[in-house]
Amino acid sequence: MNVVRIGIIGIGNMGSAHANNIFQGKVDNLILTAVCDIDESKLLWAKQTLDEQVSIYTDYHLLLKSGLVDAVLIATPHKLHPIIAIDAFAAKLHVLTEKPAGTNTLQVRRMNELAKKSGKIFAIMYNQRTNPMFAHLKKLVEDGELGEMKRFVWIISNWYRTQAYYDSGEWRASWNGEGGGVLLNQCPHNLDIWQWITGMPTKIRSFCKYGHFHSINVEDDVTILAEYANSATAVFITSTGEYPGTNRLEYSGTRGKAVIEDGILKIYRLEADEREICYKSKEGFPNIEVHYEEIIQERPETGHIGILQNFTNAILYDEDLLAPGNEGIYGLTISNAAYMSDWLDTWVDIPMDEKLFSQMLGERQIKEKEVTIKNEDSKEGIDGEYKERWQVRW
Amino acid sequence: MNVVRIGIIGIGNMGSAHANNIFQGKVDNLILTAVCDIDESKLLWAKQTLDEQVSIYTDYHLLLKSGLVDAVLIATPHKLHPIIAIDAFAAKLHVLTEKPAGTNTLQVRRMNELAKKSGKIFAIMYNQRTNPMFAHLKKLVEDGELGEMKRFVWIISNWYRTQAYYDSGEWRASWNGEGGGVLLNQCPHNLDIWQWITGMPTKIRSFCKYGHFHSINVEDDVTILAEYANSATAVFITSTGEYPGTNRLEYSGTRGKAVIEDGILKIYRLEADEREICYKSKEGFPNIEVHYEEIIQERPETGHIGILQNFTNAILYDEDLLAPGNEGIYGLTISNAAYMSDWLDTWVDIPMDEKLFSQMLGERQIKEKEVTIKNEDSKEGIDGEYKERWQVRW
């Protein structure tokens, strides 16, 4: 095999963009052979835009069985990701899914079991992992250059959305459609990058505000506290209601600090470990020497194309996945634990009680079906600059 | 009266610095006529440094009754501030106290009652209120230029202290000596500036870590969440164990945002109110026009001398106090509520149950007397750059 034939299931905002990229040959050795959607306008778009050699399906089961694809890219509403992925592994296909892998960790665990059983590649569209700033900080931390972690603070409030955005699809910002709000739709990248850099916390305490800035059922304003095995602290602050928002990440360790803001990574290195200075110094307020370095993002992140290329290379040449499917569980665990902490008004230990979470989410989904607060004039297509949102926004 | 004669009670680190400033004539119309301390080394310092015309006392009651002073500046350990202030008002003297005014709000309420009854001036050494950056932001908020508040986040972790600092005095970092740790000693300025800019929150949820970075009984790592009457959110993060620390303050409102970091105030103004855009825009992700302005701190804060001058002018010329005594209760309320929230593991409403707080603090003080974790070789004097700490540190 020297090329991978891929089918895209769901050609809405994201899926159509992926289709364009692949169709235009932006990914080496990856060919678009099929697409699938249930929406007439999207099928029309596909007919008008894509080659005749790209088959069009309305039933994804037929796409999976068509023999036309080696792999699928799933870009449907979140709750369908696990269902379709599981069917795809059963059909012996490689799977790349949009984030989040699912809306609860039980599903993602199951997806990974079936991926393993099938022997197929399973990856997640965590395109922000291709951002050089995050990758650089991750390496600094892994190499121990900042010492042991003390604190991590991420203010990520530049996910601004209007009410029109939420009104643009019934599934948006609902417990049934997305399984949550800003944590499930906007923040999966951030939650993933957070744990990618620091590792997983051991407990979570969260405060969610539901319909705080918008007329929606789910959360659009969240503060998460987390604690680690070494008793380090993290704070994660997000909303979709602030303008202009902030994207500022700070990692503080025993040998220094790093801050990413405005696309610049600022590194403050200490010569010695602060923990030793603390107990050995005879000064109360010492001025410890700090070596400062500033790294500016020079090349753009490779983004979706980078992830698509990595997925293709993993299939063809056993290249290591940048965002393997089994890592899809981590960020999702943080958001699930954050919901449960807020609902139970207490700390949630990790690993968490996944069954209890499933049950509590289910209760919200049932209750939501009884009352809907969606505007009647909701529409699928919305204006705006969706495409700019793919890159990390500083 | 055309000059104010002042006596300083407590001439340790801070008191001796104030004595120097006044003695050297840095404050117009303010004359140092007396000092008081119980520590031999400090009395010796006073004899060697100050004029013969400055009387030296070991009993502050005698200083109050001496007839040599119109006003006192209290710079003793925190828990003595209310006791001495109350005696000073009874002696019909004006009072300027070091921060915090006391260790619980009941005391500060009492101080204000007696100040009012005596008709004397009561002010607090909130020298950071003289910082032009904070004053500028306060004015922006007051003038409504940033609209209604949505969020306030202050990461103030540049209060680094070594173990030697904590070992330098028995009273330091103890429930009996200071009534707390970083919240009571380092952060009173920040808690005051916070509420000075945003007004008081209506409830507090806090997470304190005790002896996290140091061998002490009290907290040296704190995360406070707060909520306001309009349901806005605040997060306040502090520690004395990070190096280099951060001092970054962000105010997000319906008409824009302001950030202070590195001595620079960054202002982002919107032309319209975001709350209207949110519900009227047909775009999901609009690019709202932002007017950006950057203000660099050009003149240094007037600091202690500014507060001393303002106090003097208030006595002589009825000048409005920059930090009146009745405002001493606000920052302290936040720290008291933060302790109680952590101890009770729940939200604490403001106004809070001040008697319950007093009782709970008392329990900790009694327990602490039974066990001490102080090093045996603790010493009063410590090396280091204490003087640099007076200014806002970016």
Side-chain angles (χ1 to χ4, degrees):
Chain A
M1 187 157 97
N2 52 14
V3 293
V4 175
R5 300 169 305 155
I6 197 164
I8 299 181
I9 301 171
I11 46 172
N13 265 319
M14 295 306 310
S16 63
H18 297 317
N20 269 328
N21 281 333
I22 300 167
F23 186 69
Q24 289 165 19
K26 292 184 182 170
V27 186
D28 292 344
N29 306 318
L30 186 66
I31 303 173
L32 183 66
T33 51
V35 294
C36 177
D37 211 296
I38 52 169
D39 185 286
E40 280 300 331
S41 67
K42 272 139 202 170
L43 296 171
L44 184 64
W45 171 87
K47 271 175 206 153
Q48 290 171 343
T49 315
L50 305 172
D51 205 283
E52 284 174 8
Q53 304 207 352
V54 180
S55 300
I56 298 175
Y57 291 88
T58 52
D59 180 344
Y60 79 84
H61 299 91
L62 298 180
L63 183 149
L64 298 183
K65 287 184 213 159
S66 65
L68 295 174
V69 299
D70 308 307
V72 288
L73 168 48
I74 305 171
T76 60
H78 306 165
K79 66 173 178 180
L80 298 176
H81 297 172
I83 299 167
I84 298 173
I86 286 167
D87 286 342
F89 291 128
K92 297 285 174 197
L93 300 175
H94 305 286
V95 173
L96 173 60
T97 182
E98 265 296 337
K99 52 81 200 168
T103 55
N104 76 60
T105 50
L106 287 173
Q107 296 169 331
V108 183
R109 221 175 281 288
R110 181 87 183 122
M111 289 159 89
N112 276 292
E113 282 164 14
L114 293 172
K116 201 171 173 185
K117 207 171 148 192
S118 73
K120 296 294 166 184
I121 300 288
F122 177 31
I124 302 181
M125 186 56 88
Y126 277 144
N127 48 286
Q128 293 205 1
R129 286 197 182 189
T130 69
N131 184 281
M133 298 288 99
F134 296 137
H136 198 115
L137 176 54
K138 179 182 167 63
K139 189 159 162 38
L140 280 178
V141 170
E142 273 181 356
D143 293 351
E145 293 207 41
L146 298 175
E148 209 187 334
M149 175 176 162
K150 291 176 178 173
R151 190 188 308 282
F152 179 85
V153 183
W154 198 346
I155 306 173
I156 173 71
S157 54
N158 67 351
W159 287 121
Y160 185 68
R161 297 291 185 268
T162 62
Q163 187 63 35
Y165 165 83
Y166 289 113
D167 291 341
S168 71
E170 271 297 323
W171 64 284
R172 284 200 189 281
S174 65
W175 296 116
N176 285 288
E178 299 200 85
V182 62
L183 289 178
L184 250 289
N185 185 305
Q186 284 76 32
C187 286
H189 290 300
N190 309 109
L191 299 176
D192 175 61
I193 296 289
W194 167 10
Q195 70 77 27
W196 195 48
I197 291 168
T198 68
M200 280 295 280
T202 51
K203 57 182 196 168
I204 294 279
R205 183 71 174 94
S206 165
F207 299 88
C208 302
K209 295 185 176 181
Y210 306 90
H212 182 61
F213 289 116
H214 307 90
S215 178
I216 54 176
N217 286 340
V218 295
E219 84 290 352
D220 53 5
D221 184 330
V222 178
T223 308
I224 302 177
L225 275 73
E227 217 176 280
Y228 291 75
N230 76 344
S231 81
T233 307
V235 177
F236 183 92
I237 298 168
T238 191
S239 92
T240 57
E242 288 166 84
Y243 203 97
T246 293
N247 186 358
R248 181 187 186 276
L249 179 166
E250 169 172 331
Y251 181 101
S252 170
T254 57
R255 297 189 73 100
K257 182 173 84 165
V259 176
I260 310 182
E261 189 173 12
D262 299 323
I264 299 169
L265 169 61
K266 298 176 176 179
I267 308 167
Y268 308 78
R269 284 188 181 85
L270 306 181
E271 278 189 2
D273 192 295
E274 177 282 321
R275 297 284 72 204
E276 287 177 27
I277 295 167
C278 178
Y279 286 95
K280 282 185 187 164
S281 174
K282 290 195 168 130
E283 295 184 27
F285 325 79
N287 268 328
I288 305 172
E289 205 181 331
V290 173
H291 301 271
Y292 180 69
E293 189 188 351
E294 210 169 89
I295 293 169
I296 296 167
Q297 184 177 333
E298 282 173 356
R299 61 176 174 85
E301 63 204 74
T302 55
H304 296 124
I305 292 169
I307 294 289
L308 284 164
Q309 191 65 67
N310 172 248
F311 177 66
T312 304
N313 294 352
I315 295 168
L316 295 177
Y317 316 120
D318 278 334
E319 187 173 287
D320 285 342
L321 285 173
L322 187 58
N326 64 315
E327 295 186 16
I329 209 152
Y330 300 128
L332 188 61
T333 295
I334 296 178
S335 61
N336 285 1
Y339 287 126
M340 210 156 86
S341 167
D342 185 70
W343 296 339
L344 296 172
D345 194 20
T346 187
W347 285 94
V348 167
D349 288 327
I350 291 173
M352 63 186 283
D353 184 339
E354 296 175 347
K355 282 185 187 162
L356 178 59
F357 172 75
S358 247
Q359 183 195 318
M360 293 184 80
L361 176 61
E363 287 163 10
R364 272 150 191 86
Q365 288 171 333
I366 289 165
K367 199 173 161 196
E368 185 179 58
K369 279 181 186 160
E370 293 160 8
V371 189
T372 176
I373 60 165
K374 284 278 165 188
N375 283 355
E376 282 182 17
D377 57 351
S378 44
K379 56 187 195 309
E380 268 296 320
I382 45 167
D383 302 330
E385 313 215 0
Y386 199 82
K387 282 170 190 164
E388 282 190 6
R389 306 296 316 184
W390 300 344
Q391 290 195 325
V392 176
R393 195 169 159 123
W394 300 111
Chain B
M1 187 157 97
N2 53 13
V3 293
V4 174
R5 299 168 307 154
I6 198 164
I8 299 180
I9 301 171
I11 46 171
N13 265 319
M14 294 306 310
S16 62
H18 297 318
N20 269 326
N21 281 333
I22 301 166
F23 185 69
Q24 289 166 19
K26 291 184 182 169
V27 185
D28 292 343
N29 307 318
L30 186 66
I31 304 173
L32 183 67
T33 50
V35 296
C36 176
D37 210 296
I38 51 168
D39 186 286
E40 281 299 330
S41 67
K42 273 140 201 170
L43 297 169
L44 185 64
W45 171 86
K47 272 174 205 152
Q48 291 172 342
T49 315
L50 305 172
D51 205 281
E52 282 174 9
Q53 305 207 353
V54 180
S55 299
I56 298 175
Y57 293 87
T58 52
D59 180 344
Y60 79 85
H61 298 91
L62 299 179
L63 183 150
L64 298 182
K65 288 184 212 159
S66 66
L68 295 174
V69 299
D70 309 306
V72 288
L73 167 48
I74 306 171
T76 60
H78 307 166
K79 67 173 176 179
L80 298 175
H81 296 172
I83 299 167
I84 299 172
I86 286 166
D87 287 342
F89 291 128
K92 297 285 174 195
L93 300 175
H94 305 286
V95 173
L96 173 60
T97 181
E98 265 295 336
K99 51 81 201 168
T103 56
N104 76 60
T105 50
L106 286 174
Q107 296 170 332
V108 182
R109 220 174 281 287
R110 182 89 183 118
M111 290 159 88
N112 277 291
E113 282 164 15
L114 293 172
K116 201 171 173 186
K117 207 170 148 191
S118 73
K120 295 295 166 183
I121 300 287
F122 176 30
I124 303 181
M125 186 55 88
Y126 277 144
N127 49 285
Q128 292 205 1
R129 286 197 182 188
T130 69
N131 184 282
M133 298 289 99
F134 296 137
H136 198 114
L137 176 55
K138 179 184 169 60
K139 189 160 160 40
L140 280 179
V141 171
E142 272 181 356
D143 293 351
E145 294 208 40
L146 299 174
E148 210 188 333
M149 176 175 161
K150 291 176 178 174
R151 192 189 306 283
F152 178 84
V153 183
W154 198 346
I155 307 173
I156 172 71
S157 54
N158 67 352
W159 286 122
Y160 184 68
R161 296 293 184 268
T162 62
Q163 186 62 35
Y165 166 83
Y166 289 112
D167 292 341
S168 70
E170 271 296 323
W171 64 284
R172 283 198 190 283
S174 64
W175 296 116
N176 284 288
E178 299 200 85
V182 63
L183 289 178
L184 250 289
N185 186 305
Q186 284 75 33
C187 286
H189 290 301
N190 310 109
L191 299 176
D192 174 62
I193 296 288
W194 167 10
Q195 70 77 28
W196 195 47
I197 292 168
T198 67
M200 281 294 282
T202 51
K203 56 182 196 168
I204 293 280
R205 184 70 174 97
S206 164
F207 299 87
C208 302
K209 296 187 176 181
Y210 306 90
H212 182 61
F213 290 117
H214 306 90
S215 178
I216 54 176
N217 286 340
V218 294
E219 85 290 352
D220 54 4
D221 183 328
V222 177
T223 308
I224 302 176
L225 275 74
E227 218 176 278
Y228 292 74
N230 76 344
S231 81
T233 307
V235 177
F236 182 92
I237 299 168
T238 191
S239 91
T240 57
E242 289 166 83
Y243 204 98
T246 293
N247 186 358
R248 181 188 186 277
L249 180 166
E250 169 173 329
Y251 181 101
S252 170
T254 57
R255 296 188 74 99
K257 182 174 84 165
V259 176
I260 310 182
E261 189 172 13
D262 300 324
I264 299 168
L265 169 60
K266 297 176 176 180
I267 307 167
Y268 307 78
R269 283 187 182 85
L270 306 182
E271 279 189 3
D273 192 295
E274 177 282 321
R275 295 285 71 204
E276 288 177 27
I277 295 167
C278 177
Y279 286 95
K280 282 186 185 165
S281 174
K282 291 195 168 130
E283 296 185 26
F285 326 78
N287 268 329
I288 305 172
E289 204 180 331
V290 173
H291 300 271
Y292 180 70
E293 189 187 349
E294 210 169 87
I295 293 170
I296 295 168
Q297 184 178 332
E298 282 172 357
R299 60 177 175 84
E301 64 205 72
T302 55
H304 296 122
I305 292 169
I307 293 289
L308 284 164
Q309 191 65 67
N310 172 248
F311 177 65
T312 304
N313 294 352
I315 295 168
L316 295 177
Y317 316 119
D318 279 334
E319 186 173 288
D320 285 342
L321 286 173
L322 187 59
N326 64 315
E327 295 186 16
I329 209 152
Y330 301 130
L332 188 61
T333 295
I334 296 177
S335 62
N336 285 1
Y339 286 127
M340 210 156 85
S341 167
D342 185 70
W343 296 339
L344 296 173
D345 195 19
T346 186
W347 286 93
V348 167
D349 289 327
I350 291 173
M352 62 186 283
D353 185 339
E354 297 175 347
K355 282 185 185 161
L356 179 58
F357 172 75
S358 246
Q359 182 195 318
M360 292 185 81
L361 176 62
E363 287 164 10
R364 273 151 191 86
Q365 288 171 333
I366 290 165
K367 199 174 161 196
E368 184 179 60
K369 279 180 184 160
E370 292 161 8
V371 189
T372 175
I373 61 165
K374 285 278 165 188
N375 283 356
E376 283 183 16
D377 58 349
S378 48
K379 56 187 194 309
E380 269 296 319
I382 44 166
D383 303 328
E385 314 214 359
Y386 199 81
K387 283 169 190 165
E388 284 189 5
R389 306 297 316 184
W390 300 345
Q391 292 195 324
V392 177
R393 196 169 158 122
W394 299 111

